[in-house]
Amino acid sequence: MDKVEHFNDMLVRLEELLYHELSGCAAWKVELVGIDFIQSKNIKGNTEDEVITHCIKEIIASGLVKNMIYSIGGKGILLNLKMESCIHLPKEVRLKKDGIKPYICPIANMIMDQLIEKLKYETTYLAKLDFDEKTRECKVKCAIYETPDKIGLVSDWSKEEL
Amino acid sequence: MGDILEVIKTRKSIRRYKPDPIPDKILDKILEAARWSPTGENYQPWRFIVIKNPETKNKIGNLAKLGSGSRMTAWYCLGEMQKRFEEIQDPVKRAEVLRFMYSGEVSEFAKQAPVIIAVIGTLMEGSVDVPYDLSACIENMLLEAHSLGLGACWVHGPVASTRDAAKFKKILKIPTGMGEYKAIAYIALGWPAEARKHPRPKKPLEEIVYWEEFGRRERI
């Protein structure tokens, strides 16, 4: 039995169900999905870069993704993530085929969680989740707000692709 | 029995309030309207926290601002917010409306409301309809408030995300366990300081009603 396939199948069902019940705001309810793994890893760091780098190291070492890079932009509130061969990619593919735009990224949730837990960031938001089945690549845009005054720092994120 | 269609049709979401207090007698009528809402198997899972303390209202207003602002800032940066306001021709006005939205100021009005009522539901008594029951009782309260001349607004924003909902519960000392209470929204209440000049257009019945089966528009 392929356990990863089994767990992805279950995630698909739950993600579909939640979307069906809540429509678009389902995406706002799922920020804790995936965080237990990273919370078990004793992530350390005093800066954004240190925390994110440590998270990525643990995520790759565990085999959740094959490779992962990031950038910070958008006046400091845009966290761009690019992942290769995430184990959850089949979930995104199947959801899209079922007509639902995937909205849960457990990997991005992990990193945003640690920014909140370790650096006391005010809030975060998973803004965009794109993936390419052929290249097995995911691109995620997260809004990360260190303090309340970062809210409203707008810029054009389309110019800041990773 | 009076027809309440006019009450329903003239209700609008009001976000600006006079500072005048709301007498307890009127508040009690609004809460009584909630008590009589439809509820699956008569479970009545709803509980209400009536908040007048300015400090508490400020905390909730800030939380609402943060929730809306965090999402709308991202939507603006992705170019999604701009499409929603394309119909505003004046570029200066459009920019100001957009700033009002993505700054989160649009959701800050709990601070100015004389009263806000947090609507929560117990998840521990067996009801299988908690979100639906709570939504029905919110509508009852909005209609009763409107019929009494008050302005009100149903606000979901500050409890929309899981972390924000936990913060909301902590502000009001609501148990935070996921199996204890669901915080679904709050209602901001006050004597209206605005009249909605441009009620949002509603879709015509022909567009939203089918007869006998999905998609069939001919009236039987």
Side-chain angles (χ1 to χ4, degrees), chain B residues 14-46:
Chain B
I14 299 296
R15 297 177 175 84
R16 290 183 188 141
Y17 314 97
K18 295 174 183 168
D20 311 1
I22 302 172
D24 281 347
K25 201 174 168 182
I26 288 184
L27 262 184
D28 289 350
K29 286 191 84 172
I30 293 165
L31 294 165
E32 186 68 1
R35 198 166 72 87
W36 287 95
S37 305
T39 170
E41 297 181 58
N42 201 31
Y43 266 107
Q44 305 168 64
W46 40 65

PDB file of all heavy atoms in Angstrom, chain B residues 14-46:
ATOM      1  N   ILE B  14     -25.101  48.569   8.002  1.00  0.00           N
ATOM      2  CA  ILE B  14     -24.715  49.918   8.445  1.00  0.00           C
ATOM      3  C   ILE B  14     -23.416  49.817   9.246  1.00  0.00           C
ATOM      4  O   ILE B  14     -23.316  49.032  10.193  1.00  0.00           O
ATOM      5  CB  ILE B  14     -25.835  50.541   9.303  1.00  0.00           C
ATOM      6  CG1 ILE B  14     -27.137  50.665   8.490  1.00  0.00           C
ATOM      7  CG2 ILE B  14     -25.402  51.899   9.871  1.00  0.00           C
ATOM      8  CD1 ILE B  14     -27.072  51.599   7.300  1.00  0.00           C
ATOM      9  N   ARG B  15     -22.451  50.622   8.845  1.00  0.00           N
ATOM     10  CA  ARG B  15     -21.123  50.557   9.485  1.00  0.00           C
ATOM     11  C   ARG B  15     -20.721  51.865  10.170  1.00  0.00           C
ATOM     12  O   ARG B  15     -19.626  51.972  10.684  1.00  0.00           O
ATOM     13  CB  ARG B  15     -20.061  50.188   8.437  1.00  0.00           C
ATOM     14  CG  ARG B  15     -20.257  48.812   7.821  1.00  0.00           C
ATOM     15  CD  ARG B  15     -19.220  48.537   6.736  1.00  0.00           C
ATOM     16  NE  ARG B  15     -19.318  47.187   6.218  1.00  0.00           N
ATOM     17  CZ  ARG B  15     -20.157  46.795   5.270  1.00  0.00           C
ATOM     18  NH1 ARG B  15     -21.004  47.670   4.734  1.00  0.00           N
ATOM     19  NH2 ARG B  15     -20.163  45.534   4.854  1.00  0.00           N
ATOM     20  N   ARG B  16     -21.604  52.844  10.138  1.00  0.00           N
ATOM     21  CA  ARG B  16     -21.303  54.104  10.843  1.00  0.00           C
ATOM     22  C   ARG B  16     -22.438  54.385  11.810  1.00  0.00           C
ATOM     23  O   ARG B  16     -23.606  54.332  11.424  1.00  0.00           O
ATOM     24  CB  ARG B  16     -21.174  55.250   9.837  1.00  0.00           C
ATOM     25  CG  ARG B  16     -19.919  55.116   8.995  1.00  0.00           C
ATOM     26  CD  ARG B  16     -19.745  56.294   8.055  1.00  0.00           C
ATOM     27  NE  ARG B  16     -18.645  56.037   7.144  1.00  0.00           N
ATOM     28  CZ  ARG B  16     -18.645  56.368   5.865  1.00  0.00           C
ATOM     29  NH1 ARG B  16     -19.690  56.972   5.329  1.00  0.00           N
ATOM     30  NH2 ARG B  16     -17.604  56.101   5.111  1.00  0.00           N
ATOM     31  N   TYR B  17     -22.058  54.714  13.050  1.00  0.00           N
ATOM     32  CA  TYR B  17     -23.065  54.828  14.104  1.00  0.00           C
ATOM     33  C   TYR B  17     -22.893  56.128  14.875  1.00  0.00           C
ATOM     34  O   TYR B  17     -21.780  56.632  15.049  1.00  0.00           O
ATOM     35  CB  TYR B  17     -22.936  53.657  15.088  1.00  0.00           C
ATOM     36  CG  TYR B  17     -22.786  52.324  14.403  1.00  0.00           C
ATOM     37  CD1 TYR B  17     -21.520  51.758  14.222  1.00  0.00           C
ATOM     38  CD2 TYR B  17     -23.889  51.640  13.908  1.00  0.00           C
ATOM     39  CE1 TYR B  17     -21.366  50.537  13.574  1.00  0.00           C
ATOM     40  CE2 TYR B  17     -23.748  50.422  13.259  1.00  0.00           C
ATOM     41  CZ  TYR B  17     -22.482  49.879  13.088  1.00  0.00           C
ATOM     42  OH  TYR B  17     -22.332  48.684  12.444  1.00  0.00           O
ATOM     43  N   LYS B  18     -24.019  56.617  15.378  1.00  0.00           N
ATOM     44  CA  LYS B  18     -23.973  57.724  16.333  1.00  0.00           C
ATOM     45  C   LYS B  18     -23.482  57.165  17.670  1.00  0.00           C
ATOM     46  O   LYS B  18     -23.675  55.979  17.955  1.00  0.00           O
ATOM     47  CB  LYS B  18     -25.369  58.323  16.492  1.00  0.00           C
ATOM     48  CG  LYS B  18     -25.896  58.986  15.225  1.00  0.00           C
ATOM     49  CD  LYS B  18     -27.334  59.436  15.403  1.00  0.00           C
ATOM     50  CE  LYS B  18     -27.865  60.030  14.106  1.00  0.00           C
ATOM     51  NZ  LYS B  18     -29.322  60.229  14.125  1.00  0.00           N
ATOM     52  N   PRO B  19     -22.894  58.019  18.496  1.00  0.00           N
ATOM     53  CA  PRO B  19     -22.374  57.500  19.776  1.00  0.00           C
ATOM     54  C   PRO B  19     -23.465  57.226  20.813  1.00  0.00           C
ATOM     55  O   PRO B  19     -23.175  56.657  21.874  1.00  0.00           O
ATOM     56  CB  PRO B  19     -21.446  58.626  20.244  1.00  0.00           C
ATOM     57  CG  PRO B  19     -21.931  59.845  19.551  1.00  0.00           C
ATOM     58  CD  PRO B  19     -22.550  59.426  18.260  1.00  0.00           C
ATOM     59  N   ASP B  20     -24.691  57.595  20.503  1.00  0.00           N
ATOM     60  CA  ASP B  20     -25.781  57.435  21.487  1.00  0.00           C
ATOM     61  C   ASP B  20     -25.915  55.983  21.937  1.00  0.00           C
ATOM     62  O   ASP B  20     -25.866  55.066  21.112  1.00  0.00           O
ATOM     63  CB  ASP B  20     -27.119  57.884  20.873  1.00  0.00           C
ATOM     64  CG  ASP B  20     -27.015  59.247  20.212  1.00  0.00           C
ATOM     65  OD1 ASP B  20     -25.914  59.824  20.206  1.00  0.00           O
ATOM     66  OD2 ASP B  20     -28.023  59.730  19.688  1.00  0.00           O
ATOM     67  N   PRO B  21     -26.135  55.782  23.223  1.00  0.00           N
ATOM     68  CA  PRO B  21     -26.263  54.398  23.720  1.00  0.00           C
ATOM     69  C   PRO B  21     -27.565  53.740  23.262  1.00  0.00           C
ATOM     70  O   PRO B  21     -28.515  54.423  22.878  1.00  0.00           O
ATOM     71  CB  PRO B  21     -26.256  54.572  25.243  1.00  0.00           C
ATOM     72  CG  PRO B  21     -26.672  55.985  25.482  1.00  0.00           C
ATOM     73  CD  PRO B  21     -26.232  56.782  24.291  1.00  0.00           C
ATOM     74  N   ILE B  22     -27.563  52.443  23.315  1.00  0.00           N
ATOM     75  CA  ILE B  22     -28.773  51.676  22.982  1.00  0.00           C
ATOM     76  C   ILE B  22     -29.418  51.248  24.308  1.00  0.00           C
ATOM     77  O   ILE B  22     -28.780  50.549  25.105  1.00  0.00           O
ATOM     78  CB  ILE B  22     -28.426  50.429  22.147  1.00  0.00           C
ATOM     79  CG1 ILE B  22     -27.706  50.848  20.861  1.00  0.00           C
ATOM     80  CG2 ILE B  22     -29.673  49.608  21.840  1.00  0.00           C
ATOM     81  CD1 ILE B  22     -27.155  49.678  20.060  1.00  0.00           C
ATOM     82  N   PRO B  23     -30.654  51.665  24.541  1.00  0.00           N
ATOM     83  CA  PRO B  23     -31.291  51.278  25.812  1.00  0.00           C
ATOM     84  C   PRO B  23     -31.379  49.757  25.964  1.00  0.00           C
ATOM     85  O   PRO B  23     -31.571  49.035  24.981  1.00  0.00           O
ATOM     86  CB  PRO B  23     -32.698  51.889  25.698  1.00  0.00           C
ATOM     87  CG  PRO B  23     -32.573  52.964  24.666  1.00  0.00           C
ATOM     88  CD  PRO B  23     -31.518  52.507  23.703  1.00  0.00           C
ATOM     89  N   ASP B  24     -31.259  49.298  27.184  1.00  0.00           N
ATOM     90  CA  ASP B  24     -31.308  47.857  27.453  1.00  0.00           C
ATOM     91  C   ASP B  24     -32.605  47.222  26.959  1.00  0.00           C
ATOM     92  O   ASP B  24     -32.612  46.068  26.525  1.00  0.00           O
ATOM     93  CB  ASP B  24     -31.148  47.599  28.954  1.00  0.00           C
ATOM     94  CG  ASP B  24     -29.682  47.686  29.374  1.00  0.00           C
ATOM     95  OD1 ASP B  24     -28.814  47.700  28.473  1.00  0.00           O
ATOM     96  OD2 ASP B  24     -29.418  47.763  30.582  1.00  0.00           O
ATOM     97  N   LYS B  25     -33.677  47.981  27.053  1.00  0.00           N
ATOM     98  CA  LYS B  25     -34.979  47.457  26.626  1.00  0.00           C
ATOM     99  C   LYS B  25     -34.929  47.057  25.137  1.00  0.00           C
ATOM    100  O   LYS B  25     -35.487  46.036  24.730  1.00  0.00           O
ATOM    101  CB  LYS B  25     -36.041  48.546  26.849  1.00  0.00           C
ATOM    102  CG  LYS B  25     -37.447  48.043  26.944  1.00  0.00           C
ATOM    103  CD  LYS B  25     -38.354  49.225  27.311  1.00  0.00           C
ATOM    104  CE  LYS B  25     -39.813  48.846  27.138  1.00  0.00           C
ATOM    105  NZ  LYS B  25     -40.697  49.980  27.449  1.00  0.00           N
ATOM    106  N   ILE B  26     -34.251  47.874  24.355  1.00  0.00           N
ATOM    107  CA  ILE B  26     -34.134  47.593  22.919  1.00  0.00           C
ATOM    108  C   ILE B  26     -33.162  46.439  22.681  1.00  0.00           C
ATOM    109  O   ILE B  26     -33.431  45.533  21.873  1.00  0.00           O
ATOM    110  CB  ILE B  26     -33.708  48.872  22.161  1.00  0.00           C
ATOM    111  CG1 ILE B  26     -34.901  49.830  22.134  1.00  0.00           C
ATOM    112  CG2 ILE B  26     -33.211  48.553  20.762  1.00  0.00           C
ATOM    113  CD1 ILE B  26     -34.679  51.096  21.355  1.00  0.00           C
ATOM    114  N   LEU B  27     -32.069  46.458  23.403  1.00  0.00           N
ATOM    115  CA  LEU B  27     -31.108  45.345  23.276  1.00  0.00           C
ATOM    116  C   LEU B  27     -31.778  44.013  23.588  1.00  0.00           C
ATOM    117  O   LEU B  27     -31.559  43.003  22.906  1.00  0.00           O
ATOM    118  CB  LEU B  27     -29.954  45.548  24.265  1.00  0.00           C
ATOM    119  CG  LEU B  27     -28.668  46.167  23.767  1.00  0.00           C
ATOM    120  CD1 LEU B  27     -27.647  46.183  24.888  1.00  0.00           C
ATOM    121  CD2 LEU B  27     -28.123  45.408  22.564  1.00  0.00           C
ATOM    122  N   ASP B  28     -32.596  44.033  24.634  1.00  0.00           N
ATOM    123  CA  ASP B  28     -33.281  42.794  25.037  1.00  0.00           C
ATOM    124  C   ASP B  28     -34.211  42.287  23.937  1.00  0.00           C
ATOM    125  O   ASP B  28     -34.354  41.082  23.739  1.00  0.00           O
ATOM    126  CB  ASP B  28     -34.070  43.014  26.333  1.00  0.00           C
ATOM    127  CG  ASP B  28     -33.150  43.164  27.542  1.00  0.00           C
ATOM    128  OD1 ASP B  28     -31.934  42.900  27.385  1.00  0.00           O
ATOM    129  OD2 ASP B  28     -33.635  43.547  28.619  1.00  0.00           O
ATOM    130  N   LYS B  29     -34.841  43.220  23.223  1.00  0.00           N
ATOM    131  CA  LYS B  29     -35.735  42.792  22.136  1.00  0.00           C
ATOM    132  C   LYS B  29     -34.937  42.120  21.015  1.00  0.00           C
ATOM    133  O   LYS B  29     -35.381  41.132  20.424  1.00  0.00           O
ATOM    134  CB  LYS B  29     -36.496  44.008  21.568  1.00  0.00           C
ATOM    135  CG  LYS B  29     -37.594  44.513  22.482  1.00  0.00           C
ATOM    136  CD  LYS B  29     -38.482  45.525  21.787  1.00  0.00           C
ATOM    137  CE  LYS B  29     -39.560  44.817  20.978  1.00  0.00           C
ATOM    138  NZ  LYS B  29     -40.559  45.764  20.444  1.00  0.00           N
ATOM    139  N   ILE B  30     -33.752  42.659  20.753  1.00  0.00           N
ATOM    140  CA  ILE B  30     -32.899  42.069  19.697  1.00  0.00           C
ATOM    141  C   ILE B  30     -32.449  40.668  20.114  1.00  0.00           C
ATOM    142  O   ILE B  30     -32.456  39.724  19.322  1.00  0.00           O
ATOM    143  CB  ILE B  30     -31.704  42.997  19.404  1.00  0.00           C
ATOM    144  CG1 ILE B  30     -32.224  44.297  18.759  1.00  0.00           C
ATOM    145  CG2 ILE B  30     -30.673  42.324  18.513  1.00  0.00           C
ATOM    146  CD1 ILE B  30     -31.230  45.429  18.741  1.00  0.00           C
ATOM    147  N   LEU B  31     -32.083  40.533  21.368  1.00  0.00           N
ATOM    148  CA  LEU B  31     -31.665  39.213  21.868  1.00  0.00           C
ATOM    149  C   LEU B  31     -32.855  38.248  21.904  1.00  0.00           C
ATOM    150  O   LEU B  31     -32.711  37.046  21.642  1.00  0.00           O
ATOM    151  CB  LEU B  31     -31.038  39.359  23.259  1.00  0.00           C
ATOM    152  CG  LEU B  31     -29.713  40.143  23.262  1.00  0.00           C
ATOM    153  CD1 LEU B  31     -29.339  40.581  24.671  1.00  0.00           C
ATOM    154  CD2 LEU B  31     -28.594  39.312  22.644  1.00  0.00           C
ATOM    155  N   GLU B  32     -34.018  38.790  22.196  1.00  0.00           N
ATOM    156  CA  GLU B  32     -35.225  37.951  22.201  1.00  0.00           C
ATOM    157  C   GLU B  32     -35.519  37.443  20.777  1.00  0.00           C
ATOM    158  O   GLU B  32     -35.916  36.297  20.597  1.00  0.00           O
ATOM    159  CB  GLU B  32     -36.403  38.775  22.745  1.00  0.00           C
ATOM    160  CG  GLU B  32     -37.698  38.009  22.940  1.00  0.00           C
ATOM    161  CD  GLU B  32     -37.646  36.976  24.062  1.00  0.00           C
ATOM    162  OE1 GLU B  32     -36.597  36.850  24.720  1.00  0.00           O
ATOM    163  OE2 GLU B  32     -38.656  36.265  24.231  1.00  0.00           O
ATOM    164  N   ALA B  33     -35.297  38.308  19.795  1.00  0.00           N
ATOM    165  CA  ALA B  33     -35.495  37.886  18.396  1.00  0.00           C
ATOM    166  C   ALA B  33     -34.567  36.727  18.064  1.00  0.00           C
ATOM    167  O   ALA B  33     -34.937  35.788  17.348  1.00  0.00           O
ATOM    168  CB  ALA B  33     -35.243  39.059  17.451  1.00  0.00           C
ATOM    169  N   ALA B  34     -33.340  36.795  18.603  1.00  0.00           N
ATOM    170  CA  ALA B  34     -32.389  35.701  18.365  1.00  0.00           C
ATOM    171  C   ALA B  34     -32.882  34.407  19.004  1.00  0.00           C
ATOM    172  O   ALA B  34     -32.784  33.326  18.422  1.00  0.00           O
ATOM    173  CB  ALA B  34     -31.028  36.082  18.941  1.00  0.00           C
ATOM    174  N   ARG B  35     -33.426  34.535  20.196  1.00  0.00           N
ATOM    175  CA  ARG B  35     -33.853  33.356  20.971  1.00  0.00           C
ATOM    176  C   ARG B  35     -34.929  32.562  20.236  1.00  0.00           C
ATOM    177  O   ARG B  35     -35.072  31.358  20.446  1.00  0.00           O
ATOM    178  CB  ARG B  35     -34.369  33.835  22.327  1.00  0.00           C
ATOM    179  CG  ARG B  35     -34.452  32.765  23.382  1.00  0.00           C
ATOM    180  CD  ARG B  35     -34.637  33.407  24.742  1.00  0.00           C
ATOM    181  NE  ARG B  35     -35.953  33.973  24.946  1.00  0.00           N
ATOM    182  CZ  ARG B  35     -37.000  33.290  25.412  1.00  0.00           C
ATOM    183  NH1 ARG B  35     -36.876  32.016  25.735  1.00  0.00           N
ATOM    184  NH2 ARG B  35     -38.170  33.883  25.575  1.00  0.00           N
ATOM    185  N   TRP B  36     -35.690  33.250  19.390  1.00  0.00           N
ATOM    186  CA  TRP B  36     -36.801  32.591  18.709  1.00  0.00           C
ATOM    187  C   TRP B  36     -36.449  32.155  17.278  1.00  0.00           C
ATOM    188  O   TRP B  36     -37.326  31.879  16.474  1.00  0.00           O
ATOM    189  CB  TRP B  36     -38.022  33.512  18.704  1.00  0.00           C
ATOM    190  CG  TRP B  36     -38.633  33.576  20.062  1.00  0.00           C
ATOM    191  CD1 TRP B  36     -38.392  34.513  21.028  1.00  0.00           C
ATOM    192  CD2 TRP B  36     -39.527  32.629  20.642  1.00  0.00           C
ATOM    193  NE1 TRP B  36     -39.077  34.217  22.177  1.00  0.00           N
ATOM    194  CE2 TRP B  36     -39.796  33.068  21.977  1.00  0.00           C
ATOM    195  CE3 TRP B  36     -40.137  31.455  20.191  1.00  0.00           C
ATOM    196  CZ2 TRP B  36     -40.630  32.359  22.829  1.00  0.00           C
ATOM    197  CZ3 TRP B  36     -40.982  30.761  21.045  1.00  0.00           C
ATOM    198  CH2 TRP B  36     -41.217  31.210  22.344  1.00  0.00           C
ATOM    199  N   SER B  37     -35.184  32.072  16.979  1.00  0.00           N
ATOM    200  CA  SER B  37     -34.763  31.696  15.623  1.00  0.00           C
ATOM    201  C   SER B  37     -34.979  30.202  15.393  1.00  0.00           C
ATOM    202  O   SER B  37     -35.029  29.421  16.348  1.00  0.00           O
ATOM    203  CB  SER B  37     -33.276  32.020  15.441  1.00  0.00           C
ATOM    204  OG  SER B  37     -33.030  33.357  15.745  1.00  0.00           O
ATOM    205  N   PRO B  38     -35.083  29.806  14.122  1.00  0.00           N
ATOM    206  CA  PRO B  38     -35.194  28.373  13.842  1.00  0.00           C
ATOM    207  C   PRO B  38     -33.923  27.638  14.260  1.00  0.00           C
ATOM    208  O   PRO B  38     -32.821  28.170  14.109  1.00  0.00           O
ATOM    209  CB  PRO B  38     -35.394  28.316  12.327  1.00  0.00           C
ATOM    210  CG  PRO B  38     -34.907  29.622  11.809  1.00  0.00           C
ATOM    211  CD  PRO B  38     -35.100  30.621  12.905  1.00  0.00           C
ATOM    212  N   THR B  39     -34.095  26.452  14.790  1.00  0.00           N
ATOM    213  CA  THR B  39     -32.937  25.697  15.261  1.00  0.00           C
ATOM    214  C   THR B  39     -33.210  24.198  15.147  1.00  0.00           C
ATOM    215  O   THR B  39     -34.274  23.730  15.575  1.00  0.00           O
ATOM    216  CB  THR B  39     -32.586  26.078  16.721  1.00  0.00           C
ATOM    217  OG1 THR B  39     -31.609  25.170  17.234  1.00  0.00           O
ATOM    218  CG2 THR B  39     -33.791  26.086  17.636  1.00  0.00           C
ATOM    219  N   GLY B  40     -32.272  23.491  14.539  1.00  0.00           N
ATOM    220  CA  GLY B  40     -32.442  22.058  14.311  1.00  0.00           C
ATOM    221  C   GLY B  40     -32.701  21.307  15.614  1.00  0.00           C
ATOM    222  O   GLY B  40     -31.932  21.427  16.561  1.00  0.00           O
ATOM    223  N   GLU B  41     -33.787  20.557  15.639  1.00  0.00           N
ATOM    224  CA  GLU B  41     -34.174  19.746  16.805  1.00  0.00           C
ATOM    225  C   GLU B  41     -34.217  20.564  18.101  1.00  0.00           C
ATOM    226  O   GLU B  41     -34.023  20.038  19.193  1.00  0.00           O
ATOM    227  CB  GLU B  41     -33.233  18.558  16.965  1.00  0.00           C
ATOM    228  CG  GLU B  41     -33.302  17.613  15.766  1.00  0.00           C
ATOM    229  CD  GLU B  41     -32.391  16.418  15.931  1.00  0.00           C
ATOM    230  OE1 GLU B  41     -32.551  15.678  16.911  1.00  0.00           O
ATOM    231  OE2 GLU B  41     -31.505  16.260  15.074  1.00  0.00           O
ATOM    232  N   ASN B  42     -34.455  21.838  17.954  1.00  0.00           N
ATOM    233  CA  ASN B  42     -34.584  22.764  19.092  1.00  0.00           C
ATOM    234  C   ASN B  42     -33.370  22.768  20.021  1.00  0.00           C
ATOM    235  O   ASN B  42     -33.484  23.002  21.217  1.00  0.00           O
ATOM    236  CB  ASN B  42     -35.851  22.452  19.904  1.00  0.00           C
ATOM    237  CG  ASN B  42     -36.299  23.646  20.735  1.00  0.00           C
ATOM    238  OD1 ASN B  42     -36.092  24.804  20.335  1.00  0.00           O
ATOM    239  ND2 ASN B  42     -36.883  23.388  21.884  1.00  0.00           N
ATOM    240  N   TYR B  43     -32.181  22.549  19.442  1.00  0.00           N
ATOM    241  CA  TYR B  43     -30.975  22.512  20.283  1.00  0.00           C
ATOM    242  C   TYR B  43     -30.586  23.888  20.840  1.00  0.00           C
ATOM    243  O   TYR B  43     -29.978  23.984  21.887  1.00  0.00           O
ATOM    244  CB  TYR B  43     -29.795  21.932  19.500  1.00  0.00           C
ATOM    245  CG  TYR B  43     -29.626  20.449  19.696  1.00  0.00           C
ATOM    246  CD1 TYR B  43     -29.942  19.546  18.694  1.00  0.00           C
ATOM    247  CD2 TYR B  43     -29.148  19.945  20.908  1.00  0.00           C
ATOM    248  CE1 TYR B  43     -29.780  18.184  18.882  1.00  0.00           C
ATOM    249  CE2 TYR B  43     -28.988  18.586  21.103  1.00  0.00           C
ATOM    250  CZ  TYR B  43     -29.304  17.715  20.084  1.00  0.00           C
ATOM    251  OH  TYR B  43     -29.141  16.366  20.274  1.00  0.00           O
ATOM    252  N   GLN B  44     -30.900  24.942  20.072  1.00  0.00           N
ATOM    253  CA  GLN B  44     -30.566  26.309  20.520  1.00  0.00           C
ATOM    254  C   GLN B  44     -29.103  26.429  20.961  1.00  0.00           C
ATOM    255  O   GLN B  44     -28.813  26.777  22.108  1.00  0.00           O
ATOM    256  CB  GLN B  44     -31.489  26.722  21.671  1.00  0.00           C
ATOM    257  CG  GLN B  44     -32.974  26.593  21.324  1.00  0.00           C
ATOM    258  CD  GLN B  44     -33.878  26.721  22.533  1.00  0.00           C
ATOM    259  OE1 GLN B  44     -33.910  27.776  23.156  1.00  0.00           O
ATOM    260  NE2 GLN B  44     -34.596  25.658  22.861  1.00  0.00           N
ATOM    261  N   PRO B  45     -28.180  26.122  20.047  1.00  0.00           N
ATOM    262  CA  PRO B  45     -26.768  26.105  20.443  1.00  0.00           C
ATOM    263  C   PRO B  45     -26.173  27.492  20.671  1.00  0.00           C
ATOM    264  O   PRO B  45     -25.058  27.619  21.148  1.00  0.00           O
ATOM    265  CB  PRO B  45     -26.090  25.433  19.239  1.00  0.00           C
ATOM    266  CG  PRO B  45     -26.959  25.802  18.072  1.00  0.00           C
ATOM    267  CD  PRO B  45     -28.371  25.804  18.618  1.00  0.00           C
ATOM    268  N   TRP B  46     -26.914  28.541  20.312  1.00  0.00           N
ATOM    269  CA  TRP B  46     -26.367  29.892  20.349  1.00  0.00           C
ATOM    270  C   TRP B  46     -26.124  30.411  21.765  1.00  0.00           C
ATOM    271  O   TRP B  46     -26.848  30.120  22.708  1.00  0.00           O
ATOM    272  CB  TRP B  46     -27.286  30.858  19.604  1.00  0.00           C
ATOM    273  CG  TRP B  46     -28.742  30.607  19.851  1.00  0.00           C
ATOM    274  CD1 TRP B  46     -29.427  30.732  21.033  1.00  0.00           C
ATOM    275  CD2 TRP B  46     -29.693  30.166  18.883  1.00  0.00           C
ATOM    276  NE1 TRP B  46     -30.736  30.410  20.852  1.00  0.00           N
ATOM    277  CE2 TRP B  46     -30.938  30.060  19.544  1.00  0.00           C
ATOM    278  CE3 TRP B  46     -29.629  29.865  17.525  1.00  0.00           C
ATOM    279  CZ2 TRP B  46     -32.106  29.655  18.893  1.00  0.00           C
ATOM    280  CZ3 TRP B  46     -30.784  29.461  16.881  1.00  0.00           C
ATOM    281  CH2 TRP B  46     -31.998  29.362  17.569  1.00  0.00           C
TER     282      TRP B  46
END
